[in-house]
Amino acid sequence: MKKTFLNLLKQPITNSYLTKIDKKTKSKEFFYNLQVVYDSKTHLVSLSKPVNPKMQFTDKYAHRASQSITMLKAFKKVSQNLKKRFKPNKTMEIGSNDGVFLKNFNKKEIIAVEPCLNLAMITKKMGYLTYPNFWTKSLAKKIFKKYKGIDLIYSANTICHIPNLKEVFDAVSFSLNSDGVFVFEDPYIGSVLKMNSYDQFYDEHVHLFSLLSISKLLKKSNLRIFDVQLLSTHGGSIRFYVCKKFSKFNCSKRVFKLKSKEIKFGLNKYKTYLMFAKRVKKSKKDLLKLLKNIKSKRKKIISYGASYKSATIYNYCNIGTDLIDYAIDTTKNKQGKFTPGKHIPIKAPNGGIKKNVDYAFLGAWNFIKEIKKKEKNFLRRGGKFICHVPKVKLIGL
Ligand code: DWN
């Protein structure tokens, strides 16, 4: 049974950065109600009504995974580890974005699946065979005809974007060799509850996974988890190592340990999620109080990173240009545009935070270490970051 625990109000599609904000463009902007549910049967946390993926993963997809040094390093490390541990001959990536993972592989060893046409074009130009499609059973059949079974399927920050998980897992099960491995990682619901990072809920994050929920769902597709890892990336992610039901892999102790930890933490109880929802309401109140207080002193606040996540905060808390002057972002195709819903202008950082800025809200709080290193001068002159996780606070030198 699915029960709603969180209402994040009217939200736009996070990838819909506006090129202008005249009356016509504003009237065409699409909004939906962002409500989050807990399924007591599967323990899965999902959006109550996912948006149509064709409206999200278009040929104008803005996010580029290669924008942060942290992620470049993380993808290099995981590709090296996977090659060493599983020695795959044939690898496939689902959701290859701008090739941040692919580029660690020889062009003949890996194929890619990426539904956003503009991104698929990037990796095609790099020389990687890329299917510009959504991951479905019919695509899996098409690929199987040509390549037969796959040894390793990898996916980062993609599986949680797909509404129909049964179809995803069935297609994986169909494509894998008998001892093939499916490794995927996505933001972890345990970290979201701990960090109060409610901004991990937006149209693209249709589900937030736990070990408890994914173990249950995989069974229906004759798959099982044999290893698991908690990661620090994106403010707390979970990496699952999955194989076919009768494959050679023994289940690692880490799986049993994390399962009992999740039960102790209450990830299988509706009450846990209701308590989280209360903390979210308080976070909104605290953030608005802090921003309004700073603004009353005539100080300048900007946003650091026009992330998809930050759209949830701005729209839920009703934060617009009255509080935040503009956002800076290194992603070229976001620059010169406006954030979805609240229409905050996005600028290029051009060498970092400007001297007349007093505070920078961390829209990309998940890269705080990298950002603090880059913005030493801002901190040295007394500038402060505003962060909403785990509690609303100021961060200085
Ligand atoms: O799953 C998803 C994640 C992985 O990426 C997608 N659904 C969409 C996207 O979400 P996001 O925008 O919340 O992700 P990031 O990677 O946390 O976004 C950070 C933003 O900040 C990027 O636009 C790049 C920007 N940035 C910057 O301007 N300066 C980042 C760093 C590290 C910087 O120094």
Side-chain angles (χ1 to χ4, degrees):
M1 196 180 135
K2 290 179 187 172
K3 286 187 191 167
T4 305
F5 63 89
L6 184 63
N7 183 356
L8 292 169
L9 310 176
K10 231 171 72 169
Q11 293 282 346
I13 288 186
T14 44
N15 185 49
S16 60
Y17 295 89
L18 279 74
T19 46
K20 49 185 176 181
I21 41 167
D22 55 16
K23 242 185 173 177
K24 202 176 153 196
T25 327
K26 274 190 196 170
S27 70
K28 276 191 184 165
E29 206 172 5
F30 175 85
F31 288 90
Y32 69 102
N33 286 319
L34 176 45
Q35 299 211 5
V36 192
V37 300
Y38 165 71
D39 186 336
S40 54
K41 226 173 159 187
T42 59
H43 308 306
L44 184 67
V45 169
S46 312
L47 305 192
S48 63
K49 273 194 198 129
V51 169
N52 182 351
K54 285 189 182 149
M55 290 168 77
Q56 302 167 307
F57 305 104
T58 64
D59 58 356
K60 289 186 182 58
Y61 198 74
H63 177 71
R64 299 287 183 273
S66 298
Q67 284 303 306
S68 97
I69 300 164
T70 315
M71 292 317 292
L72 282 169
K73 282 188 187 160
F75 283 115
K76 190 173 180 183
K77 191 172 158 199
V78 66
S79 58
Q80 284 169 346
N81 289 344
L82 293 175
K83 281 189 221 178
K84 203 168 150 197
R85 185 167 173 189
F86 302 113
K87 300 181 180 54
N89 289 317
K90 267 182 279 175
T91 302
M92 179 173 82
E93 188 187 11
I94 305 173
S96 48
N97 198 272
D98 60 358
V100 66
F101 175 78
L102 292 181
K103 62 181 160 204
N104 299 293
F105 284 77
N106 188 305
K107 294 186 176 74
K108 285 190 183 140
E109 296 171 340
I110 191 160
I111 55 174
V113 174
E114 173 51 65
C116 303
L117 273 182
N118 59 333
L119 297 175
M121 282 310 292
I122 296 176
T123 53
K124 264 189 189 177
K125 276 189 190 150
M126 283 161 68
Y128 290 95
L129 177 64
T130 311
Y131 286 86
N133 304 96
F134 286 100
W135 176 245
T136 58
K137 275 195 268 185
S138 69
L139 179 66
K141 281 180 190 160
K142 191 173 155 189
I143 293 177
F144 191 84
K145 259 191 186 168
K146 220 171 163 185
Y147 298 93
K148 305 296 170 221
I150 310 278
D151 303 310
L152 170 68
I153 301 179
Y154 175 77
S155 187
N157 304 307
T158 299
I159 303 301
C160 77
H161 295 55
I162 310 177
N164 188 348
L165 293 176
K166 175 82 169 78
E167 167 132 19
V168 169
F169 296 149
D170 281 349
V172 165
S173 188
F174 173 83
S175 307
L176 280 183
N177 276 328
S178 49
D179 282 328
V181 177
F182 173 38
V183 179
F184 70 103
E185 59 192 73
D186 286 286
Y188 180 46
I189 185 67
S191 307
V192 170
L193 298 198
K194 233 182 197 167
M195 296 289 286
N196 215 26
S197 47
Y198 66 89
D199 49 333
Q200 286 289 13
F201 291 109
Y202 53 90
D203 61 318
E204 291 187 4
H205 285 180
V206 180
H207 318 282
L208 283 182
F209 299 145
S210 62
L211 176 59
L212 290 170
S213 61
I214 290 303
S215 317
K216 284 214 171 216
L217 296 170
L218 287 169
K219 269 188 197 158
K220 294 181 190 158
S221 304
N222 285 321
L223 295 168
R224 63 176 171 89
I225 295 168
F226 66 92
D227 202 359
V228 69
Q229 253 178 306
L230 292 184
L231 313 166
S232 60
T233 44
H234 289 300
S237 299
I238 184 163
R239 180 180 289 152
F240 300 100
Y241 293 79
V242 175
C243 62
K244 288 195 170 180
K245 192 175 170 185
F246 298 111
S247 122
K248 66 178 182 187
F249 296 98
N250 292 324
C251 191
S252 119
K253 275 186 192 157
R254 291 199 280 200
V255 175
F256 301 105
K257 269 191 188 165
L258 186 60
K259 241 183 212 170
S260 18
K261 230 174 144 184
E262 287 192 345
I263 291 168
K264 211 169 158 193
F265 192 69
L267 292 188
N268 56 345
K269 289 200 177 77
Y270 179 55
K271 203 176 114 196
T272 310
Y273 299 95
L274 283 178
M275 274 152 59
F276 163 70
K278 272 191 187 164
R279 297 198 294 275
V280 172
K281 272 191 185 162
K282 175 158 179 6
S283 176
K284 172 178 178 172
K285 227 170 124 187
D286 292 349
L287 180 61
L288 281 172
K289 194 175 160 194
L290 178 66
L291 293 176
K292 283 178 184 166
N293 184 26
I294 292 172
K295 213 61 196 167
S296 70
K297 291 175 187 150
R298 296 180 180 274
K299 301 284 184 193
K300 201 179 188 76
I301 313 172
I302 64 154
S303 174
Y304 204 101
S307 64
Y308 289 43
K309 285 186 291 295
S310 61
T312 293
I313 302 174
Y314 298 145
N315 287 281
Y316 172 62
C317 301
N318 195 18
I319 295 168
T321 44
D322 51 332
L323 294 171
I324 292 194
D325 280 46
Y326 58 88
I328 54 170
D329 200 291
T330 49
T331 318
K332 288 215 163 53
N333 56 324
K334 288 183 187 174
Q335 295 162 4
K337 296 184 181 165
F338 301 86
T339 66
K342 299 315 292 179
H343 310 150
I344 298 169
I346 306 168
K347 298 185 181 182
N350 287 338
I353 302 175
K354 280 203 177 132
K355 286 209 170 108
N356 63 352
V357 172
D358 306 290
Y359 293 85
F361 175 76
L362 283 171
W365 57 269
N366 42 318
F367 295 118
I368 182 159
K369 270 193 196 160
E370 188 176 334
I371 293 170
K372 271 180 101 177
K373 236 189 219 174
K374 256 192 220 175
E375 296 296 343
K376 267 189 199 143
N377 288 340
F378 167 68
L379 291 169
R380 276 193 196 125
R381 67 170 178 265
K384 299 252 184 321
F385 286 114
I386 302 168
C387 188
H388 77 292
V389 295
K391 281 190 177 153
V392 174
K393 63 181 175 201
L394 293 176
I395 299 170
L397 247 194

